[in-house]
Amino acid sequence: MIQTIYLVNEYTEDLIYPAICKSMDALAIHKDMRPDLKVVIKPNLVMAKKPDFPATTHPLVVKCVTRWLKEHGINNITLAESSGGLYTAEHMKNVYRTCGMDILEPDLSLNMDFSAKTVHCPETFSNHSFHIITPIAEADYIINICKLKTHAMTGYSGGIKNLFGTIPGLEKPQMHYRWPDLEDFSRMLLELAQTVNPDLTIIDAIDAMEGNGPTGGTSHPLHMLLAAKDFYTQDYFAATLMGLSPMDIVMIRQAVEAGLATPDDINLTGDKIPDNLTPFEVPDTKKLDFSAKIPAFLLPIAKKLMKSYPQLDRELCIGCGKCAESCPAGVIAIKKKKARFRKKGCISCFCCQEMCPMKAISVKKAL
């Protein structure tokens, strides 16, 4: 498995484009190209955030990938994403504009087809099929450009997790509700990743996010662009750069156990990894997880007593309703212009924290 790593100190096209070119050369991507290819770029646009906040894929990374594709004769290029919230023209136009993706036109098309298609899975999968946004389902070649982040539920967000954005709109909370246990939810992500099966994955880690990701954390720059065809092993490698234990990230552990990720086969090419990397701050959900220190016979009781719940800061809440809209269990309501949470029925997926634009939701243990 070839894993490229190139150091990029800041978001400028003059620095990013050479790194993209060298990555493409090392991975021999030019051999995959043909003039009639329908290429879809899948960024991380989890919510409408400006590019200087490390929650979304930076538009200059997408621009440089598009520039490389155009220079290799590819003209049918679409950027497609289903962010958190509604999957509608009005919502996505705002996301594209706020995230800076409108600068990419006319070199590529911003997807305006908000339909989805059912894609069937192998019989061995727990999920018999997935409902996937149409541009991804119909693509000839998928380039997955994710943002490197910690994540309140999964612990880590990279190539595998970014593909959850191929599920349309508010169907994503339904998936959380169907698979509330982290083991099951991670297995769903892995099956979705195998179904989408992107041809190339680029990780934007020039600036990354630590703490309460994927949207409520803070900046932790790595000044790196990573690229690989094998995104399962790439996620394993990227987690080590963050100072995380990859085998503690359920979806990465499952990828290793399934033989999808092969960390012993990593062949690094490009720049040397800096010696001064510092560990990423983990989400509050992980800081408050003491289950590893509890005897096995007490775990069932302890998990109930120590379950994490969202907690609202009423001073910060503006009553926008994004939390209620994204809650798969339907335990959040807006009353008197403030969010109200009900513990009973909460599955602790923290979609509410992820979609809150005001960072008004934190994590609290039952005890």
Side-chain angles (χ1 to χ4, degrees):
M1 174 265 187
I2 298 175
Q3 171 66 65
T4 73
I5 174 170
Y6 288 102
L7 301 181
V8 180
N9 287 329
E10 57 183 337
Y11 287 107
T12 65
E13 191 170 347
D14 288 346
L15 294 176
I16 297 171
Y17 186 64
I20 291 295
C21 289
K22 287 184 280 189
S23 297
M24 298 298 204
D25 287 346
L27 296 168
I29 301 301
H30 61 279
K31 294 181 179 179
D32 299 338
M33 299 294 105
R34 63 176 193 269
D36 62 338
L37 209 62
K38 185 190 298 182
V39 176
V40 175
I41 294 174
K42 165 63 178 78
N44 182 330
L45 305 180
V46 59
M47 67 188 307
K49 287 285 188 180
K50 292 184 178 180
D52 56 358
F53 185 71
T56 56
T57 303
H58 200 282
L60 284 180
V61 177
V62 181
K63 183 179 181 181
C64 290
V65 171
T66 303
R67 177 179 163 186
W68 186 92
L69 290 169
K70 299 283 281 189
E71 290 179 359
H72 286 76
I74 307 300
N75 292 306
N76 190 344
I77 310 169
T78 302
L79 181 141
E81 164 74 312
S82 171
S83 68
L86 299 173
Y87 188 51
T88 62
E90 181 181 8
H91 177 74
M92 288 308 304
K93 281 181 180 178
N94 179 56
V95 171
Y96 292 149
R97 183 176 59 253
T98 306
C99 294
M101 296 296 161
D102 52 354
I103 70 166
L104 305 173
E105 294 181 309
D107 290 326
L108 59 63
S109 300
L110 299 176
N111 174 51
M112 296 303 292
D113 176 356
F114 299 104
S115 63
K117 292 194 170 185
T118 299
V119 178
H120 295 283
C121 302
E123 291 183 1
T124 54
F125 281 16
S126 298
N127 297 269
H128 301 302
S129 65
F130 286 105
H131 207 212
I132 291 174
I133 60 176
T134 297
I136 293 290
E138 294 184 345
D140 296 323
Y141 198 91
I142 298 171
I143 301 179
N144 181 23
I145 309 182
C146 57
K147 191 74 167 178
L148 190 64
K149 298 183 283 187
T150 50
H151 193 283
M153 182 182 184
T154 61
Y156 165 90
S157 181
I160 297 171
K161 181 63 175 66
N162 192 44
L163 298 175
F164 195 42
T166 65
I167 302 294
L170 298 179
E171 291 184 31
K172 288 191 283 293
Q174 293 174 23
M175 299 298 282
H176 275 285
Y177 196 68
R178 182 182 176 192
W179 307 113
D181 181 78
L182 181 56
E183 288 281 339
D184 294 334
F185 185 76
S186 298
R187 188 169 294 107
M188 179 275 295
L189 290 176
L190 211 56
E191 292 181 355
L192 175 62
Q194 292 171 82
T195 303
V196 175
N197 194 27
D199 300 273
L200 170 66
T201 296
I202 297 170
I203 298 182
D204 172 8
I206 299 172
D207 194 7
M209 179 177 283
E210 66 179 353
N212 292 325
T215 61
T218 53
S219 169
H220 189 133
L222 284 184
H223 304 296
M224 295 178 190
L225 277 177
L226 310 175
K229 290 187 173 183
D230 174 0
F231 61 102
Y232 305 105
T233 308
Q234 183 179 48
D235 273 351
Y236 186 104
F237 172 68
T240 65
L241 294 177
M242 301 167 77
L244 304 175
S245 172
M247 295 301 280
D248 289 340
I249 308 298
V250 177
M251 60 184 159
I252 297 178
R253 170 177 56 76
Q254 290 176 347
V256 172
E257 292 170 348
L260 296 168
T262 54
D264 292 338
D265 296 334
I266 297 176
N267 179 16
L268 294 180
T269 184
D271 293 329
K272 184 176 180 289
I273 300 172
D275 296 326
N276 59 347
L277 297 183
T278 56
F280 276 50
E281 186 85 9
V282 299
D284 290 341
T285 48
K286 305 304 176 185
K287 288 180 187 175
L288 297 172
D289 186 359
F290 306 111
S291 58
K293 301 179 181 179
I294 297 172
F297 72 93
L298 289 176
L299 269 179
I301 298 173
K303 282 185 175 180
K304 289 183 180 180
L305 294 175
M306 299 178 67
K307 184 178 177 180
S308 297
Y309 290 97
Q311 177 172 283
L312 181 74
D313 185 331
R314 290 181 59 82
E315 294 296 319
L316 293 177
C317 178
I318 59 173
C320 67
K322 292 294 183 184
C323 56
E325 179 185 78
S326 65
C327 178
V331 298
I332 306 174
I334 306 300
K335 296 182 179 179
K336 297 182 179 179
K337 298 182 179 180
K338 297 290 180 181
R340 296 281 182 89
F341 292 77
R342 189 177 74 244
K343 277 189 178 181
K344 186 177 180 180
C346 176
I347 63 173
S348 300
C349 65
F350 296 98
C351 291
C352 55
Q353 185 190 49
E354 180 175 333
M355 297 312 300
C356 178
M358 305 305 295
K359 296 188 181 182
I361 299 171
S362 58
V363 177
K364 183 182 180 181
K365 287 290 185 185
L367 283 180

Short mmCIF file of all heavy atoms in Angstrom, two decimals, residues 301-357:
data_model
loop_
_atom_site.label_atom_id
_atom_site.label_comp_id
_atom_site.label_asym_id
_atom_site.label_seq_id
_atom_site.Cartn_x
_atom_site.Cartn_y
_atom_site.Cartn_z
N ILE A 301 -23.87 -2.77 34.26
CA ILE A 301 -24.44 -1.76 35.16
C ILE A 301 -23.72 -0.44 35.01
O ILE A 301 -24.33 0.63 34.94
CB ILE A 301 -24.36 -2.25 36.63
CG1 ILE A 301 -25.18 -3.53 36.80
CG2 ILE A 301 -24.85 -1.17 37.58
CD1 ILE A 301 -25.03 -4.18 38.16
N ALA A 302 -22.39 -0.51 34.95
CA ALA A 302 -21.58 0.71 34.87
C ALA A 302 -21.88 1.50 33.60
O ALA A 302 -21.93 2.73 33.62
CB ALA A 302 -20.11 0.35 34.93
N LYS A 303 -22.11 0.80 32.49
CA LYS A 303 -22.37 1.50 31.23
C LYS A 303 -23.66 2.31 31.32
O LYS A 303 -23.76 3.40 30.76
CB LYS A 303 -22.44 0.49 30.07
CG LYS A 303 -21.06 0.03 29.61
CD LYS A 303 -21.16 -0.86 28.38
CE LYS A 303 -19.77 -1.21 27.87
NZ LYS A 303 -19.83 -2.08 26.67
N LYS A 304 -24.66 1.76 32.01
CA LYS A 304 -25.90 2.50 32.17
C LYS A 304 -25.71 3.72 33.07
O LYS A 304 -26.21 4.81 32.80
CB LYS A 304 -26.99 1.59 32.76
CG LYS A 304 -27.49 0.54 31.80
CD LYS A 304 -28.60 -0.28 32.42
CE LYS A 304 -29.11 -1.34 31.45
NZ LYS A 304 -30.20 -2.16 32.03
N LEU A 305 -24.96 3.53 34.17
CA LEU A 305 -24.74 4.61 35.12
C LEU A 305 -23.82 5.70 34.56
O LEU A 305 -23.94 6.87 34.90
CB LEU A 305 -24.15 4.06 36.42
CG LEU A 305 -25.05 3.15 37.24
CD1 LEU A 305 -24.29 2.60 38.44
CD2 LEU A 305 -26.29 3.89 37.71
N MET A 306 -22.89 5.29 33.68
CA MET A 306 -21.89 6.23 33.19
C MET A 306 -22.14 6.65 31.74
O MET A 306 -21.27 7.21 31.08
CB MET A 306 -20.50 5.60 33.30
CG MET A 306 -20.12 5.26 34.72
SD MET A 306 -18.51 4.46 34.82
CE MET A 306 -17.46 5.82 34.31
N LYS A 307 -23.34 6.40 31.25
CA LYS A 307 -23.67 6.77 29.88
C LYS A 307 -23.55 8.28 29.69
O LYS A 307 -23.89 9.07 30.57
CB LYS A 307 -25.11 6.33 29.57
CG LYS A 307 -25.54 6.59 28.14
CD LYS A 307 -26.96 6.08 27.91
CE LYS A 307 -27.42 6.40 26.49
NZ LYS A 307 -28.80 5.91 26.25
N SER A 308 -23.04 8.68 28.54
CA SER A 308 -22.90 10.09 28.22
C SER A 308 -24.19 10.65 27.65
O SER A 308 -24.86 9.98 26.85
CB SER A 308 -21.77 10.30 27.21
OG SER A 308 -20.54 9.89 27.74
N TYR A 309 -24.52 11.87 28.03
CA TYR A 309 -25.69 12.55 27.51
C TYR A 309 -25.31 13.96 27.06
O TYR A 309 -24.37 14.56 27.60
CB TYR A 309 -26.78 12.66 28.58
CG TYR A 309 -27.43 11.36 28.94
CD1 TYR A 309 -27.02 10.63 30.06
CD2 TYR A 309 -28.48 10.84 28.19
CE1 TYR A 309 -27.61 9.43 30.40
CE2 TYR A 309 -29.08 9.63 28.53
CZ TYR A 309 -28.64 8.94 29.63
OH TYR A 309 -29.23 7.75 29.96
N PRO A 310 -26.04 14.53 26.11
CA PRO A 310 -25.80 15.93 25.75
C PRO A 310 -26.33 16.87 26.83
O PRO A 310 -27.37 16.59 27.45
CB PRO A 310 -26.57 16.09 24.44
CG PRO A 310 -27.61 15.04 24.46
CD PRO A 310 -27.04 13.89 25.24
N GLN A 311 -25.62 17.94 27.05
CA GLN A 311 -26.04 18.95 28.02
C GLN A 311 -26.04 20.31 27.35
O GLN A 311 -25.08 20.69 26.69
CB GLN A 311 -25.10 18.96 29.23
CG GLN A 311 -25.45 20.04 30.25
CD GLN A 311 -24.62 19.91 31.52
OE1 GLN A 311 -24.88 19.06 32.36
NE2 GLN A 311 -23.59 20.73 31.63
N LEU A 312 -27.11 21.06 27.53
CA LEU A 312 -27.29 22.33 26.85
C LEU A 312 -26.85 23.51 27.72
O LEU A 312 -27.16 23.58 28.91
CB LEU A 312 -28.77 22.51 26.48
CG LEU A 312 -29.11 23.81 25.73
CD1 LEU A 312 -28.62 23.72 24.28
CD2 LEU A 312 -30.61 24.08 25.76
N ASP A 313 -26.12 24.43 27.11
CA ASP A 313 -25.83 25.73 27.72
C ASP A 313 -26.91 26.68 27.21
O ASP A 313 -26.88 27.15 26.08
CB ASP A 313 -24.44 26.21 27.30
CG ASP A 313 -24.04 27.51 27.99
OD1 ASP A 313 -24.95 28.31 28.32
OD2 ASP A 313 -22.83 27.74 28.18
N ARG A 314 -27.89 26.98 28.06
CA ARG A 314 -29.05 27.77 27.64
C ARG A 314 -28.67 29.19 27.23
O ARG A 314 -29.35 29.82 26.43
CB ARG A 314 -30.10 27.80 28.75
CG ARG A 314 -30.78 26.44 28.97
CD ARG A 314 -31.84 26.53 30.07
NE ARG A 314 -32.87 27.50 29.80
CZ ARG A 314 -33.92 27.28 29.02
NH1 ARG A 314 -34.07 26.10 28.42
NH2 ARG A 314 -34.83 28.21 28.84
N GLU A 315 -27.57 29.69 27.78
CA GLU A 315 -27.13 31.04 27.42
C GLU A 315 -26.67 31.10 25.97
O GLU A 315 -26.84 32.13 25.29
CB GLU A 315 -26.00 31.49 28.35
CG GLU A 315 -26.41 31.67 29.80
CD GLU A 315 -27.44 32.77 29.97
OE1 GLU A 315 -27.29 33.82 29.30
OE2 GLU A 315 -28.39 32.59 30.75
N LEU A 316 -26.07 30.00 25.50
CA LEU A 316 -25.54 29.98 24.13
C LEU A 316 -26.60 29.56 23.12
O LEU A 316 -26.50 29.90 21.94
CB LEU A 316 -24.35 29.02 24.04
CG LEU A 316 -23.09 29.41 24.80
CD1 LEU A 316 -22.02 28.31 24.65
CD2 LEU A 316 -22.53 30.74 24.29
N CYS A 317 -27.62 28.82 23.55
CA CYS A 317 -28.65 28.30 22.65
C CYS A 317 -29.46 29.44 22.04
O CYS A 317 -29.93 30.34 22.75
CB CYS A 317 -29.57 27.35 23.40
SG CYS A 317 -30.92 26.69 22.39
N ILE A 318 -29.63 29.40 20.71
CA ILE A 318 -30.41 30.43 20.01
C ILE A 318 -31.74 29.87 19.49
O ILE A 318 -32.47 30.55 18.79
CB ILE A 318 -29.60 31.04 18.84
CG1 ILE A 318 -29.19 29.96 17.83
CG2 ILE A 318 -28.39 31.80 19.37
CD1 ILE A 318 -28.55 30.51 16.58
N GLY A 319 -32.01 28.60 19.81
CA GLY A 319 -33.27 28.00 19.42
C GLY A 319 -33.43 27.79 17.93
O GLY A 319 -34.55 27.79 17.41
N CYS A 320 -32.33 27.54 17.23
CA CYS A 320 -32.38 27.38 15.77
C CYS A 320 -33.02 26.07 15.34
O CYS A 320 -33.49 25.94 14.21
CB CYS A 320 -30.98 27.50 15.17
SG CYS A 320 -29.86 26.14 15.63
N GLY A 321 -33.00 25.07 16.23
CA GLY A 321 -33.66 23.80 15.93
C GLY A 321 -32.81 22.79 15.19
O GLY A 321 -33.28 21.70 14.85
N LYS A 322 -31.53 23.10 14.93
CA LYS A 322 -30.66 22.16 14.22
C LYS A 322 -30.47 20.87 15.00
O LYS A 322 -30.37 19.79 14.43
CB LYS A 322 -29.29 22.81 13.95
CG LYS A 322 -29.33 23.96 12.96
CD LYS A 322 -29.70 23.49 11.58
CE LYS A 322 -29.67 24.61 10.56
NZ LYS A 322 -30.13 24.18 9.22
N CYS A 323 -30.42 20.98 16.33
CA CYS A 323 -30.25 19.79 17.17
C CYS A 323 -31.47 18.89 17.07
O CYS A 323 -31.36 17.67 16.92
CB CYS A 323 -29.98 20.20 18.62
SG CYS A 323 -31.24 21.28 19.33
N ALA A 324 -32.67 19.49 17.15
CA ALA A 324 -33.90 18.70 17.07
C ALA A 324 -34.05 18.05 15.70
O ALA A 324 -34.47 16.91 15.58
CB ALA A 324 -35.10 19.59 17.37
N GLU A 325 -33.68 18.80 14.66
CA GLU A 325 -33.76 18.29 13.29
C GLU A 325 -32.88 17.07 13.09
O GLU A 325 -33.23 16.14 12.35
CB GLU A 325 -33.34 19.41 12.33
CG GLU A 325 -33.35 19.03 10.86
CD GLU A 325 -32.81 20.16 10.00
OE1 GLU A 325 -31.58 20.34 9.94
OE2 GLU A 325 -33.64 20.86 9.40
N SER A 326 -31.72 17.05 13.75
CA SER A 326 -30.75 15.98 13.53
C SER A 326 -30.87 14.84 14.53
O SER A 326 -30.15 13.85 14.42
CB SER A 326 -29.33 16.54 13.60
OG SER A 326 -29.04 17.03 14.91
N CYS A 327 -31.77 14.94 15.52
CA CYS A 327 -31.87 13.93 16.57
C CYS A 327 -32.60 12.69 16.05
O CYS A 327 -33.81 12.74 15.78
CB CYS A 327 -32.60 14.49 17.79
SG CYS A 327 -32.80 13.26 19.11
N PRO A 328 -31.91 11.55 15.93
CA PRO A 328 -32.56 10.35 15.40
C PRO A 328 -33.62 9.77 16.32
O PRO A 328 -34.55 9.11 15.86
CB PRO A 328 -31.40 9.38 15.21
CG PRO A 328 -30.34 9.84 16.13
CD PRO A 328 -30.48 11.33 16.20
N ALA A 329 -33.47 10.01 17.62
CA ALA A 329 -34.41 9.45 18.58
C ALA A 329 -35.60 10.36 18.85
O ALA A 329 -36.55 9.97 19.53
CB ALA A 329 -33.69 9.14 19.90
N GLY A 330 -35.54 11.60 18.35
CA GLY A 330 -36.65 12.53 18.53
C GLY A 330 -36.86 12.95 19.97
O GLY A 330 -38.00 13.15 20.40
N VAL A 331 -35.77 13.10 20.74
CA VAL A 331 -35.91 13.45 22.16
C VAL A 331 -35.60 14.92 22.42
O VAL A 331 -35.46 15.34 23.57
CB VAL A 331 -35.00 12.55 23.04
CG1 VAL A 331 -35.42 11.10 22.91
CG2 VAL A 331 -33.53 12.73 22.71
N ILE A 332 -35.47 15.72 21.37
CA ILE A 332 -35.19 17.14 21.53
C ILE A 332 -36.34 17.94 20.94
O ILE A 332 -36.83 17.64 19.85
CB ILE A 332 -33.87 17.55 20.83
CG1 ILE A 332 -32.72 16.67 21.31
CG2 ILE A 332 -33.55 19.02 21.08
CD1 ILE A 332 -31.41 16.90 20.56
N ALA A 333 -36.77 18.96 21.67
CA ALA A 333 -37.83 19.85 21.19
C ALA A 333 -37.40 21.29 21.46
O ALA A 333 -36.59 21.56 22.35
CB ALA A 333 -39.15 19.54 21.88
N ILE A 334 -37.94 22.21 20.68
CA ILE A 334 -37.68 23.64 20.90
C ILE A 334 -38.89 24.23 21.60
O ILE A 334 -40.00 24.22 21.07
CB ILE A 334 -37.41 24.37 19.57
CG1 ILE A 334 -36.29 23.69 18.79
CG2 ILE A 334 -37.07 25.84 19.84
CD1 ILE A 334 -34.95 23.65 19.52
N LYS A 335 -38.67 24.73 22.80
CA LYS A 335 -39.73 25.33 23.59
C LYS A 335 -39.27 26.68 24.12
O LYS A 335 -38.18 26.78 24.71
CB LYS A 335 -40.15 24.42 24.75
CG LYS A 335 -40.75 23.09 24.29
CD LYS A 335 -41.17 22.24 25.47
CE LYS A 335 -41.79 20.92 25.00
NZ LYS A 335 -42.19 20.07 26.13
N LYS A 336 -40.07 27.69 23.89
CA LYS A 336 -39.74 29.06 24.31
C LYS A 336 -38.36 29.47 23.79
O LYS A 336 -37.53 30.03 24.52
CB LYS A 336 -39.80 29.19 25.83
CG LYS A 336 -41.20 28.95 26.40
CD LYS A 336 -41.23 29.14 27.91
CE LYS A 336 -42.64 28.92 28.44
NZ LYS A 336 -42.70 29.07 29.94
N LYS A 337 -38.12 29.12 22.51
CA LYS A 337 -36.90 29.52 21.79
C LYS A 337 -35.62 28.92 22.38
O LYS A 337 -34.53 29.45 22.21
CB LYS A 337 -36.78 31.04 21.73
CG LYS A 337 -37.92 31.70 20.97
CD LYS A 337 -37.73 33.21 20.89
CE LYS A 337 -38.89 33.84 20.11
NZ LYS A 337 -38.73 35.30 20.01
N LYS A 338 -35.77 27.79 23.10
CA LYS A 338 -34.61 27.07 23.63
C LYS A 338 -34.81 25.57 23.41
O LYS A 338 -35.94 25.08 23.41
CB LYS A 338 -34.42 27.34 25.13
CG LYS A 338 -34.13 28.79 25.50
CD LYS A 338 -32.74 29.24 25.05
CE LYS A 338 -32.48 30.68 25.44
NZ LYS A 338 -31.15 31.16 24.98
N ALA A 339 -33.70 24.86 23.25
CA ALA A 339 -33.79 23.41 23.09
C ALA A 339 -34.07 22.75 24.43
O ALA A 339 -33.56 23.17 25.47
CB ALA A 339 -32.49 22.87 22.51
N ARG A 340 -34.89 21.70 24.40
CA ARG A 340 -35.19 20.90 25.58
C ARG A 340 -34.82 19.45 25.28
O ARG A 340 -35.26 18.90 24.27
CB ARG A 340 -36.67 20.99 25.96
CG ARG A 340 -37.12 22.40 26.37
CD ARG A 340 -36.73 22.71 27.80
NE ARG A 340 -37.21 24.03 28.21
CZ ARG A 340 -38.39 24.24 28.77
NH1 ARG A 340 -39.22 23.22 28.96
NH2 ARG A 340 -38.76 25.44 29.13
N PHE A 341 -34.03 18.84 26.16
CA PHE A 341 -33.56 17.47 25.96
C PHE A 341 -34.27 16.52 26.93
O PHE A 341 -34.48 16.86 28.10
CB PHE A 341 -32.04 17.37 26.23
CG PHE A 341 -31.21 18.09 25.21
CD1 PHE A 341 -31.09 19.47 25.22
CD2 PHE A 341 -30.53 17.38 24.22
CE1 PHE A 341 -30.32 20.14 24.28
CE2 PHE A 341 -29.76 18.03 23.28
CZ PHE A 341 -29.66 19.41 23.32
N ARG A 342 -34.61 15.34 26.42
CA ARG A 342 -35.18 14.30 27.26
C ARG A 342 -34.19 13.13 27.30
O ARG A 342 -33.80 12.61 26.25
CB ARG A 342 -36.52 13.84 26.70
CG ARG A 342 -37.30 12.92 27.62
CD ARG A 342 -38.66 12.56 27.06
NE ARG A 342 -38.55 11.60 25.96
CZ ARG A 342 -38.90 11.86 24.72
NH1 ARG A 342 -39.37 13.06 24.39
NH2 ARG A 342 -38.78 10.94 23.77
N LYS A 343 -33.76 12.73 28.47
CA LYS A 343 -32.79 11.65 28.60
C LYS A 343 -33.35 10.31 28.11
O LYS A 343 -32.67 9.54 27.44
CB LYS A 343 -32.31 11.49 30.05
CG LYS A 343 -31.20 12.45 30.44
CD LYS A 343 -30.67 12.08 31.81
CE LYS A 343 -29.53 13.00 32.21
NZ LYS A 343 -28.98 12.62 33.54
N LYS A 344 -34.61 10.04 28.46
CA LYS A 344 -35.21 8.77 28.09
C LYS A 344 -35.28 8.66 26.57
O LYS A 344 -35.85 9.53 25.89
CB LYS A 344 -36.61 8.65 28.69
CG LYS A 344 -37.24 7.28 28.46
CD LYS A 344 -38.60 7.18 29.15
CE LYS A 344 -39.21 5.81 28.91
NZ LYS A 344 -40.54 5.67 29.55
N GLY A 345 -34.69 7.63 26.04
CA GLY A 345 -34.68 7.42 24.60
C GLY A 345 -33.44 7.94 23.90
O GLY A 345 -33.20 7.61 22.74
N CYS A 346 -32.62 8.75 24.58
CA CYS A 346 -31.40 9.28 23.98
C CYS A 346 -30.41 8.14 23.71
O CYS A 346 -30.15 7.30 24.58
CB CYS A 346 -30.75 10.31 24.91
SG CYS A 346 -29.16 10.95 24.33
N ILE A 347 -29.87 8.09 22.49
CA ILE A 347 -28.94 7.01 22.13
C ILE A 347 -27.48 7.48 22.18
O ILE A 347 -26.58 6.75 21.78
CB ILE A 347 -29.27 6.43 20.74
CG1 ILE A 347 -29.10 7.49 19.64
CG2 ILE A 347 -30.66 5.83 20.71
CD1 ILE A 347 -29.23 6.94 18.23
N SER A 348 -27.27 8.72 22.64
CA SER A 348 -25.90 9.26 22.81
C SER A 348 -25.08 9.20 21.53
O SER A 348 -23.91 8.84 21.54
CB SER A 348 -25.17 8.50 23.94
OG SER A 348 -25.86 8.64 25.16
N CYS A 349 -25.69 9.58 20.42
CA CYS A 349 -24.96 9.64 19.15
C CYS A 349 -24.27 10.98 18.97
O CYS A 349 -23.35 11.13 18.17
CB CYS A 349 -25.91 9.38 17.98
SG CYS A 349 -27.18 10.66 17.78
N PHE A 350 -24.75 12.00 19.72
CA PHE A 350 -24.20 13.36 19.70
C PHE A 350 -24.30 14.03 18.34
O PHE A 350 -23.49 14.90 18.00
CB PHE A 350 -22.77 13.38 20.26
CG PHE A 350 -22.74 12.98 21.71
CD1 PHE A 350 -22.41 11.69 22.08
CD2 PHE A 350 -23.11 13.87 22.70
CE1 PHE A 350 -22.44 11.30 23.40
CE2 PHE A 350 -23.13 13.50 24.03
CZ PHE A 350 -22.79 12.21 24.39
N CYS A 351 -25.32 13.63 17.56
CA CYS A 351 -25.62 14.37 16.33
C CYS A 351 -25.99 15.82 16.67
O CYS A 351 -25.70 16.74 15.91
CB CYS A 351 -26.78 13.72 15.59
SG CYS A 351 -26.40 12.10 14.88
N CYS A 352 -26.64 16.00 17.81
CA CYS A 352 -27.04 17.35 18.24
C CYS A 352 -25.82 18.24 18.45
O CYS A 352 -25.77 19.39 18.00
CB CYS A 352 -27.89 17.28 19.50
SG CYS A 352 -27.12 16.38 20.88
N GLN A 353 -24.81 17.69 19.14
CA GLN A 353 -23.58 18.46 19.37
C GLN A 353 -22.88 18.76 18.04
O GLN A 353 -22.37 19.86 17.83
CB GLN A 353 -22.63 17.67 20.28
CG GLN A 353 -21.37 18.45 20.67
CD GLN A 353 -20.37 17.57 21.36
OE1 GLN A 353 -20.05 16.48 20.90
NE2 GLN A 353 -19.85 18.03 22.49
N GLU A 354 -22.91 17.78 17.15
CA GLU A 354 -22.26 17.93 15.84
C GLU A 354 -22.88 19.05 15.02
O GLU A 354 -22.18 19.79 14.34
CB GLU A 354 -22.37 16.60 15.08
CG GLU A 354 -21.76 16.60 13.71
CD GLU A 354 -21.81 15.22 13.07
OE1 GLU A 354 -21.84 14.22 13.81
OE2 GLU A 354 -21.83 15.16 11.83
N MET A 355 -24.22 19.19 15.09
CA MET A 355 -24.90 20.15 14.22
C MET A 355 -25.18 21.49 14.87
O MET A 355 -25.69 22.40 14.22
CB MET A 355 -26.22 19.54 13.72
CG MET A 355 -26.05 18.29 12.86
SD MET A 355 -24.79 18.48 11.56
CE MET A 355 -25.48 19.86 10.63
N CYS A 356 -24.85 21.66 16.15
CA CYS A 356 -25.11 22.93 16.84
C CYS A 356 -24.13 24.00 16.34
O CYS A 356 -22.92 23.87 16.53
CB CYS A 356 -24.98 22.77 18.34
SG CYS A 356 -25.22 24.34 19.24
N PRO A 357 -24.62 25.08 15.73
CA PRO A 357 -23.72 26.11 15.21
C PRO A 357 -23.13 27.01 16.30
O PRO A 357 -22.19 27.75 16.04
CB PRO A 357 -24.63 26.92 14.28
CG PRO A 357 -25.99 26.78 14.87
CD PRO A 357 -26.04 25.39 15.44
#
